[in-house]
Amino acid sequence: MQNDKNLKITFCSGAGTVTGANFLLEGNGKKFLIDCGLIQGEKFVDDLNWGKFPYDASEIDILFITHSHIDHIGRIPKLIHEGFKGRIISTVPTKDLTEVMLADTAHLLSREENEYNLPEIYSAENIKKAMSLWSTLEYGQKLNEDHGFQFYFKDAGHILGSGMLNIIYNGKKIVFTGDLGNSPSPLLPDTDVIDDADYMVMESCYGDRNHEERSERKKKLEQVIKANYERKGNLIIPTFSLERTQELLYEMNSLVENHIVPQMPIFLDSPLSIKLTDVYLKYDKYFNAAARKIIATGDKLFEFPGLKYTPETEDSKAILHVPAPKVIIAGSGMSNGGRILHHEKNYLPNRNDTLLLTGYQSVGTMGRMIQDGAKKVRIMGEDVRIHANIAWISGYSGHKDSDHLVEFVENTAKTVKKIFVVMGEPKSAMFLAQKLKDNLNVNATAPMAGESVEIKC
């Protein structure tokens, strides 16, 4: 039997895989969830998402959301559907971004078959109810709960509003990192330092490999754009609507306005990205000092010569008839849905065109197949040959790489009693756990989905 002074963590999902973050913390008569995300892989939404949760949703007191990526928020409507009536708490920008992200996911799922009663689960009513249960905290603002719990967020530096959840209970600190940003970011402040954790549940997306240097990534972007222009080709960039798109626009703004790359048509062909960019502009006080300084000069970060937003379907279709060279930014980032599929179908067969990958590609996704050297892919029922140039810039990842994850933990190595390495493919999580043991002499393990552990408090 669990000691009343101790806590239990159950890794409901998000362990042994990158997506589907969902962790249950229980103790002293209280139950808290940290994140409730979609499990994603070959399909945009894996069938595993629609099985029952391994807990009674009606018994959950609070759901804490670390950030608004769909693999951390995507099953909130299902939680509501199964009877959740507690509170949802996040930072201020995360609430606004989540509302946009859930509405977009509902639209995408409305096209799916009715096998899992998706319209009923992902209804407008459930999303509206979730938002009505939502309250927010600023970074560092403390929430004191009965039964001796205290909660607050520190800046994870991953996307706008992303937070590491700090939990104080019986004199011990438990930290759920969510996803940790690849600092320094063009737009966001660096990840806050954690130097006093007793227990930590941390991500490991890039736990077994490193990115190229930040200084190199903008140069590579410049080189890819110039090479595409000289070939009179079409540059296709599948990108994540949240954070990656805004970072790309920020850096393209600099390249174009400073005449480092030639001016050409650049299309942001993603209704979701356009809406999320509007939210970013609303919360520019969360940007880093350098970005705020640029804004203060009157420069509009996400507007520059040649850039055109194409929210409407007809605008998107018309891009095909715009002469090359041109650049098309569209979702999704792993090529597992969205408008990017139409562009890839049109341009992947052409030797003068280029597909630029700028982020993590999950196993089973079309983006991963292309990254791994596939010669053809199946898009919308047709086999498409790949003759286009394939480029990859890892420095645009929103996640810390292996060395920087170790550096992050090093700050709290003297205090931490155990680290649970999650949110990574098994080889990545296990590699990072061993690296933390070897380099920092800390107790680290990589749990699997469904596993529960008791932590002493």
Side-chain angles (χ1 to χ4, degrees), residues 122-135:
Y122 237 96
S123 66
E125 291 75 16
N126 282 344
I127 295 174
K128 182 178 180 180
K129 184 171 182 181
M131 302 317 297
S132 74
L133 298 173
W134 210 296
S135 57

Side-chain angles (χ1 to χ4, degrees), residues 17-211:
T17 182
V18 177
T19 62
N22 187 221
F23 310 114
L24 175 65
L25 179 71
E26 302 173 83
N28 204 6
K30 304 290 284 186
K31 293 185 179 182
F32 307 105
L33 281 181
I34 296 87
D35 290 333
C36 193
L38 282 177
I39 302 165
Q40 297 175 290
E42 185 173 352
K43 297 172 67 176
F44 171 66
V45 179
D46 196 285
D47 292 348
L48 291 172
N49 289 288
W50 312 120
K52 285 190 70 64
F53 288 113
Y55 46 78
D56 186 338
S58 67
E59 295 179 355
I60 303 299
D61 295 286
I62 303 176
L63 165 63
F64 291 94
I65 297 296
T66 62
H67 66 285
S68 50
H69 273 142
I70 206 67
D71 61 325
H72 291 255
I73 62 168
R75 279 186 289 171
I76 294 176
K78 185 172 185 296
L79 196 70
I80 298 290
H81 182 72
E82 289 197 11
F84 174 75
K85 297 181 178 65
R87 287 174 288 163
I88 305 175
I89 297 175
S90 74
T91 64
V92 180
T94 293
K95 179 184 178 183
D96 280 15
L97 292 168
T98 295
E99 189 165 12
V100 175
M101 293 289 284
L102 290 181
D104 181 74
T105 303
H107 173 68
L108 292 174
L109 291 180
S110 68
R111 306 171 188 171
E112 299 288 331
E113 295 181 3
N114 202 28
E115 181 181 355
Y116 299 103
N117 293 317
L118 298 189
E120 182 181 352
I121 293 171
Y122 237 96
S123 66
E125 291 75 16
N126 282 344
I127 295 174
K128 182 178 180 180
K129 184 171 182 181
M131 302 317 297
S132 74
L133 298 173
W134 210 296
S135 57
T136 60
L137 297 171
E138 295 287 356
Y139 290 124
Q141 182 183 351
K142 291 182 171 59
L143 171 70
N144 293 305
E145 281 294 300
D146 56 7
H147 298 237
F149 289 92
Q150 183 182 78
F151 304 90
Y152 63 94
F153 289 104
K154 296 189 80 172
D155 196 339
H158 174 59
I159 66 171
L160 185 73
S162 59
M164 298 177 282
L165 181 64
N166 289 245
I167 305 169
I168 310 295
Y169 175 73
N170 200 27
K172 297 293 191 295
K173 177 183 277 193
I174 306 99
V175 177
F176 287 81
T177 67
D179 289 342
L180 294 167
N182 183 18
S183 303
S185 160
L187 286 173
L188 301 179
D190 291 353
T191 305
D192 281 337
V193 171
I194 301 289
D195 58 10
D196 57 352
D198 293 287
Y199 299 94
M200 182 177 286
V201 179
M202 70 175 295
E203 70 125 315
S204 60
C205 183
Y206 282 89
D208 60 346
R209 54 205 180 280
N210 289 324
H211 307 315

Side-chain angles (χ1 to χ4, degrees), residues 397-417:
S397 171
H399 297 259
K400 289 193 189 306
D401 62 14
S402 184
D403 285 351
H404 289 98
L405 287 168
V406 173
E407 184 180 277
F408 171 78
V409 172
E410 187 175 9
N411 293 303
T412 195
K414 291 182 179 179
T415 67
V416 73
K417 297 173 180 61

Side-chain angles (χ1 to χ4, degrees), residues 431-446:
F431 183 94
L432 180 60
Q434 188 62 50
K435 190 172 180 177
L436 291 172
K437 292 177 188 176
D438 294 343
N439 290 25
L440 303 178
N441 196 30
V442 298
N443 185 358
T445 185

